[in-house]
Amino acid sequence: MLDGVRRFYDQDTEVKKRWYTRDGSKTVVYNSNFDLFSAPSANWRDTSYVNMAPKVPRADELPEACSDILIKYSGYIKKLGRSLFELLSEALGLKPNHLNDIGCSEGLAVLYHCYPACPEPELTLGATKHADYDFMTVLLQDHTGGLQILYENQWVDVPPVPGALVVNVGDLLQARYQSLISNDKFNSSQHRVLANRAGPRVSVACFFTTGLAPSSKRYGPIKELLSEDNPPRYRETTVKDYSLHYNAKGLGTTSALLDFRI
Ligand SMILES: O=C(O)CCC(=O)C(=O)O
Ligand SMILES: [Fe+2]
């Protein structure tokens, strides 16, 4: 998968230009800084993303450099995601199918990033501190390093381990303060990526979310987890409305989730 991402970014700008857009409804979106016009500062990275579920795009709708591997890899990640949501359901004391049944594994957006070598890495970041806007993210990083997670107020390196995946719980399932649907049962962490003199670094973040696709299903704290002592802390929202809010805010501001607290 990482080779496929390298093949994509190694192409001439003229070839990649075909995929450039800021219109999130396109099958493939390729740009730099989705929040260029809202965030306080820009990040040292390019990103391309494609929605691989619920509808799997045809290979000819995807960049040739990585179309086959995108379809194959996202199939594996979908299966892995369903198993992880079963384990997370059990951890919440719910039936194993709960999180899958309510749609947490329905949508999958694959974001493949390229962090170019940076001549002055101390002046910028590859990715500003953030939590992901989805239910859960399965991340594959190359050997370069730079990913950090905020743990007890300190930035801790997440060193690359060949073949290992990093799993982050996203805003819709969990948050720094309290979780939206798990209503504070999980604890989460914020993460960021440092810019690096070495590079380019590539990574693939698989976001379990239907993102900006039309959605009427409303998500709020899971009823089974609520009690008099544990009242709902978030108002309900749809995946689309949350994603729109997150995109409009951009990275580097306050947590988008805080705006949904009751
Ligand atoms: O590139 C990485 O290691 C992290 C990417 C990330 O945080 C994201 O896509 O949300
Ligand atoms: Fe992230």
Side-chain angles (χ1 to χ4, degrees):
M1 184 67 240
L2 292 171
D3 284 344
V5 178
R6 282 186 206 106
R7 276 197 302 275
F8 175 78
Y9 285 105
D10 277 351
Q11 297 173 109
D12 283 346
T13 307
E14 280 307 309
V15 179
K16 287 184 285 187
K17 233 161 82 177
R18 166 167 174 220
W19 306 104
Y20 174 82
T21 179
R22 293 198 175 272
D23 174 357
S25 68
K26 290 271 164 24
T27 307
V28 179
V29 173
Y30 162 54
N31 62 41
S32 188
N33 289 272
F34 73 96
D35 54 2
L36 192 61
F37 304 110
S38 53
S41 57
N43 285 163
W44 198 268
R45 74 167 171 186
D46 292 337
T47 295
S48 181
Y49 78 81
V50 49
N51 295 313
M52 297 301 295
K55 186 175 164 284
V56 183
R58 294 189 319 269
D60 65 354
E61 294 176 283
L62 302 172
E64 217 181 337
C66 52
S67 55
D68 292 347
I69 190 65
L70 267 174
I71 292 171
K72 200 167 164 189
Y73 182 75
S74 54
Y76 290 134
I77 296 294
K78 255 185 263 177
K79 279 198 199 128
L80 174 65
R82 288 189 71 82
S83 303
L84 291 171
F85 281 121
E86 283 181 10
L87 293 171
L88 290 169
S89 302
E90 289 189 43
L92 288 168
L94 302 166
K95 288 198 302 295
N97 283 341
H98 191 103
L99 293 174
N100 286 315
D101 285 349
I102 64 170
C104 292
S105 52
E106 196 178 309
L108 184 69
V110 179
L111 282 74
Y112 39 108
H113 303 291
C114 177
Y115 302 79
C118 180
E120 293 180 287
E122 56 292 339
L123 298 183
T124 185
L125 281 168
T128 306
K129 170 185 163 190
H130 67 282
D132 297 343
Y133 61 88
D134 56 352
F135 291 105
M136 179 178 73
T137 309
V138 178
L139 176 77
L140 172 66
Q141 57 169 334
D142 77 2
H143 57 278
T144 311
L147 176 65
Q148 294 187 321
I149 208 137
L150 194 62
Y151 179 69
E152 294 183 346
N153 250 354
Q154 305 243 13
W155 286 109
V156 180
D157 290 334
V158 183
V161 175
L165 298 167
V166 177
V167 178
N168 280 322
V169 173
D171 276 351
L172 290 176
L173 193 60
Q174 171 201 20
R176 175 79 183 84
Y177 303 96
Q178 285 138 3
S179 43
L180 184 70
I181 66 171
S182 74
N183 209 40
D184 207 14
K185 284 273 178 181
F186 292 133
N187 266 324
S188 82
S189 50
Q190 307 263 335
H191 53 282
R192 69 178 185 182
V193 181
L194 301 179
N196 205 314
R197 270 180 220 285
R201 170 185 188 268
V202 293
S203 68
V204 181
C206 292
F207 276 54
F208 281 91
T209 177
T210 48
L212 298 174
S215 58
S216 53
K217 211 182 283 175
R218 302 188 69 77
Y219 287 96
I222 295 171
K223 304 273 180 294
E224 286 85 335
L225 303 178
L226 300 177
S227 65
E228 226 167 89
D229 302 334
N230 187 23
R233 299 184 170 114
Y234 290 90
R235 58 189 167 85
E236 289 187 345
T237 182
T238 64
V239 172
K240 182 181 176 189
D241 285 350
Y242 189 75
S243 307
L244 282 170
H245 180 73
Y246 186 103
N247 282 354
K249 262 193 115 145
L251 306 184
T253 55
T254 55
S255 158
L257 196 63
L258 291 182
D259 303 326
F260 288 79
R261 281 175 92 167
I262 292 174

